Amino acid sequence: MAVFGGRHRESNPSLPPGQYETQSFPVLSAGPTPEIDTAEWEFFIHTETGPSRRWTWDQFRALPAEDITPDIHCVTSWSKFDTPWRGVSLDTLFADVETDLDFVMAHSYGGYTTNLPLEEILDGRAWIAYEYDGDDLEPEHGGPARLLVPHLYFWKSAKWIRGLVMQSEDNPGFWEQYGYHNHGDPWREERYA
Amino acid sequence: MSEATRRWRRGTLVRDRALSASARSVTFAVPDWPGAAAGQHVDVRLTAPDGYQAVRSYSLARAGTDREIELAVERLPDGEVSPFLVDELEPGDEVELRGPLGGWFVWRPGEQRPVQLIAGGSGIVPLVAIARAHAAADSTAPMRLLASVRTPESALYRDELEQLRATAPTRWHYTRVAPPGWTGPVGRLSPRDLEREVIAGSQHPLVYVCGPTGFVEAVARTLIDLGQTADSIRTERFGGT
């Protein structure tokens, strides 16, 4: 009988259950990488009263930004530690948004969607990121800008983000309709529904 | 997906076959396997004697409801799980399996649209599952496979795909070394290669592209330049950047 030895023996408290650490940056997308011209880019937030806020690229880039270095965790089992991003906090973007709805559907260029509870993307837990490791975010990693919600599995961090639409219920997005967990907490291994 | 998908099941290696110098087909008997659609994948979990576990995802090489599942695994030089599955696992050994997973990169027999499959290297595995499912269902939807490989020796499932040539003809493309007598181009798939070999956008094919990230990015971008619609292109990428 063959006996599996494995390699990574040191137990790392930063590693959620069932994850392994990678140094590379794998790319997972359901379709082609869209080409997005920042001259035509926009980011919007829609609420129960319709369009609420809208930023052009220049307006968005004029907002106060933060440097953050979270660990990220993909449902396909890789984790990457101390990833260096720069982006705008969702707290900044939601500062003047009035809504009584509790859930958000993130919409991307190319048609991707993913759902999130509003309270999980506020209070310093989510950003719209546009730089990685000091450079403009590469298109295959979601550039010009992506959602970054590092405390959830990385499919929730929608690439090529275009806008957020408030919803009254936690209706499922793209992967959530294909059997992935509606919430996606890596520490509770919420991989599949 | 359901409770059945999330659960880890025991699979016993019942058959194995070398596919190339670095790849091996491994077939596991899984008594309670619920079946899978062509293009889906599974998680494989290995456990060391001290309890340490490692999980990786592998595409299924065959769809269906048999109580057996076939994976094709390519040995990664620096891999932790793949060298064990390719070089060490013996018939009778057990692994744990979870799935089937993924519901987007799949082909179902009811699909009537023409299908173009495009593989880079071992990205051919889920596309072999699709070509097999297409033949098994006697589907009349046109299907073609374009497979890019480094050398003739690194082509996986060549004999089997040859047997499917009436229903899903395969065109091999060589990036480094071509077989003796080869008169076609050698090198990365060019826009001209793709224009010549891929079902035209005017026929509205469903296109499945699977391979290393750089391959998939380049092919998908070129297909859109050639007039294919983005939402008809389904992709599966592996490896980092």
Side-chain angles (χ1 to χ4, degrees), chain A:
Chain A
M1 194 185 84
V3 177
F4 176 63
R7 247 198 337 234
H8 309 282
R9 267 303 182 281
E10 71 288 7
S11 71
N12 187 332
S14 300
L15 210 51
Q19 297 290 110
Y20 68 93
E21 185 188 357
T22 183
Q23 305 289 335
S24 75
F25 197 163
V27 175
L28 290 106
S29 316
T33 296
E35 283 184 31
I36 302 155
D37 184 349
T38 52
E40 288 161 29
W41 184 91
E42 62 165 6
F43 178 76
F44 60 76
I45 298 176
H46 289 189
T47 67
E48 56 269 46
T49 58
S52 173
R53 299 298 312 270
R54 180 181 172 277
W55 294 265
T56 65
W57 183 253
D58 289 341
Q59 290 167 338
F60 171 74
R61 291 297 305 269
L63 295 170
E66 298 173 10
D67 291 310
I68 40 184
T69 53
D71 301 340
I72 56 176
H73 311 289
C74 179
V75 70
T76 63
S77 298
W78 59 263
S79 293
K80 190 169 171 62
F81 295 143
D82 302 323
T83 56
W85 306 85
R86 184 171 178 78
V88 177
S89 168
L90 266 294
D91 296 324
T92 303
L93 296 163
F94 270 94
D96 298 319
V97 173
E98 296 280 339
T99 181
D100 290 324
L101 304 181
D102 292 330
F103 301 98
V104 176
M105 185 70 83
H107 290 259
S108 295
Y109 291 91
Y112 182 77
T113 55
T114 191
N115 56 299
L116 301 137
L118 178 59
E119 65 176 10
E120 297 225 12
I121 60 171
L122 298 179
D123 298 328
R125 302 174 85 190
W127 296 263
I128 303 295
Y130 56 82
E131 277 183 20
Y132 183 78
D133 202 13
D135 288 319
D136 291 345
L137 187 56
E138 300 271 357
E140 64 259 40
H141 289 302
R146 77 180 296 163
L147 185 59
L148 181 64
V149 193
H151 73 282
L152 299 177
Y153 281 125
F154 214 43
W155 88 77
K156 294 286 187 181
S157 294
K159 296 175 186 174
W160 316 302
I161 191 75
R162 181 174 192 181
L164 303 176
V165 177
M166 300 304 304
Q167 54 181 4
S168 56
E169 290 169 43
D170 202 10
N171 296 318
F174 180 84
W175 285 122
E176 293 83 3
Q177 292 176 52
Y178 280 110
Y180 287 78
H181 199 280
N182 221 35
H183 181 232
D185 181 347
W187 296 97
R188 293 159 68 181
E189 274 213 89
E190 293 172 342
R191 297 176 195 272
Y192 311 114

Side-chain angles (χ1 to χ4, degrees), chain B residues 206-231:
Chain B
L206 262 177
V207 184
Y208 296 78
V209 190
C210 184
T213 297
F215 174 88
V216 173
E217 289 292 320
V219 167
R221 196 178 312 122
T222 304
L223 291 177
I224 287 169
D225 290 346
L226 291 172
Q228 306 273 2
T229 43
D231 59 9

